[in-house]
């Protein structure tokens, strides 16, 4: 086949044809494999378990951003480790088994610490009313308008003159305290708890991505692609992982609010999410110790099977 092309088109044209085909194929392979791996990472048990706590009892919009931050952190951590391994593979030999073994311990511990942190900071995310019920903690600038504060000390009786001034202030369309407080202060205070949750999601995702055992397995596959294929894989993988985890987090936020309107209270939904993440983290560590984690981590088994099929095509 090569000789026929040489006699018809010449050596230079033949070289360009033979080199263009692998690049084009690698770009398709990179996009398709990035799509598959991104979906599997988004629905992996460690991701879902972590997202249950991070997105519990929050709005769907905030849960979407938390999930996206966690997904971007996860994929970014994997890519950084893969690049580092490719850069030093000629000088240092990295044990795949050791990386997988100790990495899974860190993944389990990250879920345990995430759940314990949210359990200990329950009052940061839940607001208790004077009737004993709980609701999600509102933002600071709107909390006084949408929630009933806990019962405090009774105000002293006012004279008639002071009472009339007090009534005018209460019936004013804009509260006096709200006028005295600049708008930017409300925004800053309201963003504190949200930025905290967002940062935690990104850090936990990056830790889990860095410790992900499939980094070692995937490096061998990515190294066989051309530069265009590697770029296509990275972009597709990061986008799909971020969007996948974002939608999963948004779905769980909707589920907890729907359960709150039904038979499940806000406090019960929040604690159920934390307990599930805690239990999954403990189970992850125990399963890794007894070498039965493959029975629990269904996503990793599917990714290994997909990598095996790609290598043997």
């Amino acid at each position: 086949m090569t000789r026929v092309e040489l006699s018809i088109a010449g050596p230079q044209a033949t070289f360009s044809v033979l080199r263009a085909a692998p690049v084009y194929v690698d770009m398709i392979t990179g996009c398709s494999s990035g799509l598959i791996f991104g979906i599997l990472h988004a629905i992996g048990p460690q991701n879902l378990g972590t997202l249950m706590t991070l997105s519990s009892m929050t709005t769907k919009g905030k849960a979407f951003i938390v999930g996206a931050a966690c997904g971007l952190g996860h994929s970014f951590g994997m890519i950084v480790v893969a690049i580092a391994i490719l850069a030093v593979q000629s000088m240092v030999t990295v044990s795949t088994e050791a990386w997988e073994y100790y990495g899974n311990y860190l993944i389990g511990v990250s879920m345990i610490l995430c759940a314990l942190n949210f359990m200990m900071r329950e009052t940061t995310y839940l607001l208790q009313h004077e009737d004993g019920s709980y609701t999600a903690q509102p933002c600071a600038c709107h909390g006084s308008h949408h929630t009933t504060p806990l019962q405090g000390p009774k105000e002293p009786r006012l004279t008639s003159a002071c009472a009339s001034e007090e009534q005018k202030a209460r019936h004013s369309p804009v509260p006096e305290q709200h006028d005295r407080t600049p708008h930017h202060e409300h925004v800053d205070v309201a963003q504190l708890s949200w930025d905290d949750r967002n940062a935690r999601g990104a850090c936990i995702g990056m830790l889990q991505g860095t410790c992900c055992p499939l980094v070692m397995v995937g490096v061998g596959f990515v190294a066989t692609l051309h530069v265009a294929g590697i770029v296509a894989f990275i972009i597709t993988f990061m986008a799909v992982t971020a969007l996948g985890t974002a939608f999963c987090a948004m779905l769980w936020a909707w589920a907890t609010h729907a359960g709150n309107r039904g038979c499940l209270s806000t406090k019960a939904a929040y604690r159920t999410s934390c307990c599930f993440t805690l239990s999954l983290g403990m189970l992850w560590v125990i399963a890794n110790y007894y070498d039965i984690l493959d029975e629990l981590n269904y996503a990793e088994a599917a990714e290994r099977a997909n990598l095996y099929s790609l290598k043997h095509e």
Side-chain angles (χ1 to χ4, degrees):
M1 186 68 176
T2 304
R3 292 179 180 176
V4 173
E5 292 177 352
L6 282 171
S7 61
I8 295 175
Q12 294 181 353
T14 302
F15 178 78
S16 63
V17 171
L18 293 178
R19 292 296 298 167
V23 174
Y24 178 75
V25 172
D26 280 355
M27 290 187 65
I28 297 177
T29 303
C31 290
S32 59
S33 56
L35 175 64
I36 295 173
F37 293 154
I39 293 174
L40 290 174
H41 272 82
I43 62 174
Q46 71 274 27
N47 285 339
L48 295 180
T50 305
L51 289 174
M52 286 183 67
T53 295
L54 290 174
S55 60
S56 177
M57 300 314 303
T58 186
T59 63
K60 290 182 288 185
K62 290 183 177 181
F64 184 89
I65 302 177
V66 171
C70 185
L72 284 175
H74 188 100
S75 56
F76 182 77
M78 291 186 65
I79 291 171
V80 169
V81 172
I83 293 174
I85 292 174
L86 289 174
V88 301
Q89 64 178 351
S90 60
M91 299 178 291
V92 180
T93 301
V94 182
S95 174
T96 304
E97 294 182 357
W99 189 281
E100 180 176 357
Y101 182 74
Y102 293 107
N104 279 319
Y105 275 125
L106 290 176
I107 291 175
V109 170
S110 69
M111 288 189 281
I112 294 173
L113 293 179
C114 176
L116 291 177
N117 178 267
F118 274 76
M119 285 179 175
M120 291 185 294
R121 302 184 62 201
E122 182 178 285
T123 55
T124 305
Y125 304 106
L126 298 182
L127 178 66
Q128 183 179 11
H129 299 272
E130 58 183 1
D131 60 355
S133 62
Y134 286 83
T135 57
Q137 189 74 257
C139 64
C141 61
H142 297 96
S144 61
H145 298 286
H146 297 288
T147 59
T148 304
L150 293 176
Q151 187 174 0
K154 294 183 179 181
E155 296 180 358
R157 282 185 165 277
L158 302 175
T159 60
S160 57
C162 295
S164 60
E165 294 294 331
E166 180 69 17
Q167 289 177 358
K168 290 180 181 179
R170 289 182 178 178
H171 290 287
S172 177
V174 180
E176 183 180 358
Q177 184 179 359
H178 189 276
D179 289 340
R180 293 176 181 175
T181 306
H183 179 68
H184 63 85
E185 292 184 7
H186 290 293
V187 175
D188 293 341
V189 175
Q191 293 296 325
L192 287 178
S193 61
W194 161 237
D195 290 342
D196 176 68
R197 188 183 292 219
N198 187 17
R200 289 173 191 275
C203 292
I204 294 174
M206 185 176 296
L207 174 62
Q208 293 182 354
T210 303
C211 301
C212 185
L214 286 173
V215 174
M216 304 296 296
V217 181
V219 165
F221 162 72
V222 174
T224 62
L225 300 175
H226 291 273
V227 176
I230 296 175
V231 172
F233 174 83
I234 291 176
I235 294 175
T236 305
F237 174 72
M238 293 189 69
V240 173
T241 302
L243 290 176
T245 52
F247 279 110
C248 288
M250 187 173 64
L251 181 62
W252 182 249
W254 171 83
T256 53
H257 279 283
N260 183 33
R261 291 192 295 268
C263 59
L264 195 63
S265 66
T266 301
K267 186 177 181 180
Y270 181 87
R271 291 187 174 181
T272 299
S273 301
C274 295
C275 288
F276 182 87
T277 305
L278 177 64
S279 302
L280 181 60
M282 296 173 64
L283 182 61
W284 199 276
V285 172
I286 295 173
N288 188 57
Y289 178 79
Y290 287 103
D291 199 21
I292 56 174
L293 189 58
D294 291 339
E295 304 296 329
L296 178 63
N297 194 359
Y298 52 85
E300 182 178 343
E303 289 176 340
R304 289 183 184 275
N306 188 44
L307 279 174
Y308 180 84
S309 63
L310 288 173
K311 289 181 179 180
H312 292 80
E313 283 183 351

